[in-house]
Amino acid sequence: MRLPRSVRLALAAALAVSGAALAGPAQAVGDTGHGFGNYRYAGSVWGGYVAQGSGFRSISGSWTMPEVQCNSTDDLFAPWVGIDGYGSQTVEQTGVEVNCQNGSPAYSGWYEMYPAPPQYFSDRVDAGDTFTASVVYSGSGTYTLKLTDTAKGWTHSVRQRINGRNVSAEAVIESPSQSYPSFSSLDFSGVTVNGYSFDAYNPQAIDSGQYTETGLSNGSFSIVPAY
């Protein structure tokens, strides 16, 4: 699945203005093809929590995919967990996409080693399915990305190599099109980093504009409408 051409062109225009290099914590590298690595932190794109520092070797967490209402064919969003992206030029991430390009929500599991494009899994995904995802760095530029649909009983685990910096860890939702569908709540739970509760790393809260996050408690928080 790809973004509608109009959305990709709009993103390309925005990136031409903002530039591809990082300009501090309000902006990140972009990609005009699709990507859940193609974002700017401001502008209703990311929402959730991001920890910064060094030596991030693993992140894991769970969530349940909500029922969504498509408001336009540009609506697109994904919850995911990952390493890097906030202060670096790569992102190692896995999650689930909801794409409204055809007028109704289509759910897909995926992983991405940005700046390479996302890779999609063919297994069926439905609203109400609960997922556990993890990204683990094992040294020498090697990452293992794992996504499990506990409702459907499938798991994908892939090993990939990239020259990542391991300077951030995220549990977030993202809309590369900056157009979210409507949903009542998405609950992250059991988020850990390097084997410790996410809370221990004092992650930064980031609002996505249309949605906001509740307080983080023992690695759990919810994404809910901002108004």
Side-chain angles (χ1 to χ4, degrees):
M1 293 181 194
R2 296 177 64 84
L3 292 174
R5 184 173 182 273
S6 61
V7 176
R8 286 187 278 120
L9 291 174
L11 284 168
L15 290 165
V17 174
S18 65
L22 283 174
Q27 186 173 310
V29 66
D31 161 50
T32 59
H34 176 295
F36 291 104
N38 105 11
Y39 41 64
R40 292 165 299 160
Y41 301 121
S44 303
V45 180
W46 272 28
Y49 284 91
V50 178
Q52 292 179 272
S54 61
F56 292 106
R57 300 184 67 88
S58 69
I59 184 168
S60 64
S62 301
W63 68 86
T64 298
M65 290 303 297
E67 293 273 2
V68 308
Q69 176 183 335
C70 293
N71 303 308
S72 78
T73 56
D74 288 342
D75 286 357
L76 173 73
F77 98 105
W80 55 268
V81 301
I83 296 175
D84 281 329
Y86 202 98
S88 64
Q89 299 289 327
T90 69
V91 194
E92 304 85 45
Q93 55 188 338
T94 186
V96 178
E97 171 191 294
V98 182
N99 193 322
C100 292
Q101 184 172 347
N102 295 321
S104 59
Y107 295 78
S108 304
W110 57 276
Y111 76 90
E112 184 175 18
M113 300 291 287
Y114 182 83
Q119 302 297 311
Y120 291 91
F121 304 126
S122 61
D123 306 81
R124 179 169 174 170
V125 174
D126 292 307
D129 288 3
T130 297
F131 290 85
T132 297
S134 63
V135 178
V136 178
Y137 178 66
S138 56
S140 302
T142 300
Y143 296 82
T144 299
L145 304 97
K146 184 176 181 180
L147 182 67
T148 297
D149 184 333
T150 59
K152 296 290 192 298
W154 59 258
T155 295
H156 286 280
S157 182
V158 296
R159 288 171 60 87
Q160 298 288 310
R161 291 178 57 85
I162 198 169
N163 187 26
R165 294 178 57 203
N166 303 339
V167 293
S168 67
E170 304 86 28
V172 294
I173 61 170
E174 179 186 356
S175 175
S177 65
Q178 301 187 49
S179 180
Y180 280 92
S182 297
F183 59 88
S184 60
S185 178
L186 188 147
D187 304 320
F188 279 95
S189 63
V191 180
T192 63
V193 173
N194 293 352
Y196 296 96
S197 174
F198 202 15
D199 310 43
Y201 291 86
N202 297 314
Q204 174 185 350
I206 300 178
D207 285 346
S208 64
Q210 183 178 346
Y211 293 95
T212 189
E213 62 290 316
T214 63
L216 179 65
S217 178
N218 295 320
S220 299
F221 65 95
S222 296
I223 301 288
V224 296
Y227 31 73

